Amino acid sequence: MIRAIIFDCFGVVLTDALQAIREELAAADPDAARAISDIIAANNRGLMEPGESNERIAAILGVTPGTFRRQVETGEVRNDALLQYIVRLRKSYKTAMLSNIAGSSLARRFPDDELSQYFDEVVASGDIGYAKPEPEAYEITAERLGVRCDDCVFIDDRELFVEGARAVGMQGIVYSDTAQFKKELADVIA
């Protein structure tokens, strides 16, 4: 029986501006795009501070760290329809956010404990030392919610991360838009 619903942040709750930047760069300079992916991976595991990773990525892009941060901020749009739906889901299910990011970076995007109105738990990979699709990232999230992995549905826009959730026993939904997600979730929890 499904007791908890776990959401990714980027590509689900927020548009993923950094992924768009990386994809655009990959067409022109695959090596630079791979270098950015490596920096992001280190940041996601808590091995590099967000400020340092921003400086390194900005240098690869040939812009100042401030310009890079503004590019990311203006490219991130909240999925308000999904957030309101999460509020309704929370009446019947435990909810969590599991994101490959440093907790301080999440706090900058959602100030004043705003996430607490949507999620019972917020798990940032940089804070726990494990990043999706590592099994521990999903297991820690379920444990913090007080449920078993097989009591959870995990939602992410990346198939690789949904497969990681399925590998630990969670149900998984690959997110493309809110309408598709609602329909698939209704099928899973029916």
Side-chain angles (χ1 to χ4, degrees), residues 10 21 25 28 32 34 45 47-48 52 73 77 86 117 131 138 160 169:
F10 298 98
I21 291 168
L25 181 62
R34 274 191 294 281
R45 297 214 39 201
L47 303 174
M48 184 182 300
E52 180 183 353
E73 288 172 358
V77 179
I86 292 170
Q117 61 186 296
Y138 308 98
L160 174 66

Side-chain angles (χ1 to χ4, degrees), residues 10 43 50 54 101-110:
F10 298 98
N43 183 45
N54 286 346
I101 191 171
S104 61
S105 295
L106 271 179
R108 191 174 62 249
R109 289 167 171 90
F110 298 95

